[in-house]
Amino acid sequence: MNILVTGGAGFIGSNFIRWMKQHAPEHKLINVDLLTYAGNLESLCDIEQDEGYVFIRADIRDRAKMNEIFQLYDITHVVNFAAESHVDRSIEDPEVFLNTNILGTQALLDTAKKYWKTAPEDKYSRDYRAGVKFLQVSTDEVYGALGKEGKFTETTPLSPNSPYSAAKASADLVCRAYYETFGMPLNITRCSNNYGPYQFPEKLIPLMIHNCMEGKPLPVYGDGMQIRDWLHVTDHCSAIYTVLLQGQLGEVYNIGGNNERANIDIVKLILRTLGRGEELITYVKDRPGHDRRYAIDNTKITTTLDWTPSYTFEQGIFETIAWYQENPIWLEHVLSGAYEDYYERMYTQSFGE
Ligand code: NAD
Ligand code: DAU
């Protein structure tokens, strides 16, 4: 496979590239990332010279560039991670979320359709090259919020509450329409909250680990009793590869590992593990429109594709805390902004792109 990995310099995308290098090194990986504030090539510095891996700085909304990349690398698969991903930022500035997450996805779908259809000019033709696939990486947030009971299944109605999740839900609907109308070979995955190495410290777990290590206040929104369903990022990566290989075309697959935790319990666990006291906990004003609870029913992917997560939450969170302790330079560069110079230094000066 020649896999276009969009957003491969982000948290999950960089972990996916590393996971693929370890578990399926026979595939070519073409990493296309705009390098917004969330893109960090330092997360891939051990891989950047590997054979079968290439990085291109580009915007998924740039149709001419996407077309060029499809042709140059004969792309057979797309795994679309590229997105604006942080709910709090989407509350501050929704527009870029709608732009990137919806129109960016559509630009990629159009490019894939043009390149993969055997008769691209024939609007009635539904024939595509054999074996090609577009995988849209979506999120459980498209389903909205749960009460105390129940879980999200793939047929739960979409009911997004934040500008971020509304943009992701819209992209899912565009994908669905391309499948129904054009026969585009695709899958949509909807995963719960990820945690693990290389996550930008604006998200709950790395933010709390960092503040705890520094002895700074830990800002808990509202009463801290909101529940998220946590999955180690490498389990998300293995699920995506499973769906890429085996997912039935046109199907949606929920991904999750049955690990529901209240935010406050995670914060307390991090404090205990790092030997700090609960006086660092600071309750702050709640996030507007804050979803109370997420929980994934993973029956479909576990029973029809035989996927299972490998991490328990306890093992994953201890490893993750240790990773941030053992990688102070990665964290320091993120916090100082030095990571943003990496592309300029390594790609335009050293590799002469
Ligand atoms: P992230 O913010 O860490 O990474 C996003 C990446 O996309 C960054 O590298 C950024 O530079 C890149 N990007 C942004 N706009 C771009 C554009 N126009 N063109 C090219 N690249 C662009 O996000 P993440 O947490 O790694 O999430 C990746 C995907 O997984 C997202 O689509 C997100 O909705 C989805 N997801 C995330 C989680 C989670 O818990 N983090 C859970 C389920 C689904
Ligand atoms: O469910 C999947 C989603 O998980 C992904 O689609 C998103 O891209 C990803 O960012 C994540 O969204 P959340 O809003 O759940 O993640 P975040 O880490 O921002 O917040 C997790 C919970 O912790 C949420 O209830 C808000 C709370 N929180 C977060 C921060 C940053 C706090 O209490 N304090 C904080 O400082």
Side-chain angles (χ1 to χ4, degrees), residues 85 139-141 164 193 203-204 219 221 228 263 287 290:
S85 73
T139 167
D140 61 357
E141 297 201 12
Y164 160 70
N193 284 63
K203 306 279 172 78
L204 180 76
Y221 298 165
R228 297 291 181 265
N263 293 339
R287 173 187 277 174
H290 199 169

Side-chain angles (χ1 to χ4, degrees), residues 84-88 138-141 164 168 191-194 199 202-205 207-208 218-222 224 226-230 263 267 284 287 290-291 294:
E84 290 292 336
S85 73
H86 189 38
V87 174
D88 292 327
S138 187
T139 167
D140 61 357
E141 297 201 12
Y164 160 70
K168 292 296 290 186
C191 189
S192 58
N193 284 63
N194 285 212
Q199 188 168 27
E202 65 181 353
K203 306 279 172 78
L204 180 76
I205 289 183
L207 177 78
M208 296 299 168
L218 309 188
V220 174
Y221 298 165
Q226 303 82 6
I227 291 176
R228 297 291 181 265
D229 188 352
W230 294 94
N263 293 339
V267 169
V284 298
R287 173 187 277 174
H290 199 169
D291 289 335
Y294 303 145

Side-chain angles (χ1 to χ4, degrees), residues 14 22 76 108 128-129 131 152 157 187 218 224 239 272-273 330 342:
S14 61
Q22 285 163 3
T76 59
L108 284 171
Y128 286 74
R129 282 171 58 179
F152 299 130
N187 287 122
L218 309 188
R272 275 199 306 280
T273 309
W330 183 90
Y342 188 85

Side-chain angles (χ1 to χ4, degrees), residues 6-13 32-40 58-61 80-86 100-101 104 136-140 164 168 189-195 198-200 202-203 230 236:
T6 71
F11 163 51
I12 307 175
V32 166
D33 197 300
L34 182 58
L35 299 183
T36 67
Y37 81 94
N40 184 353
D59 189 330
I60 56 167
R61 293 166 292 181
N80 184 26
F81 292 104
E84 290 292 336
S85 73
H86 189 38
T100 295
N101 299 3
Q136 174 69 3
V137 181
S138 187
T139 167
D140 61 357
Y164 160 70
K168 292 296 290 186
T189 56
R190 296 188 182 135
C191 189
S192 58
N193 284 63
N194 285 212
Y195 69 97
Y198 303 105
Q199 188 168 27
F200 199 85
E202 65 181 353
K203 306 279 172 78
W230 294 94
H236 188 187

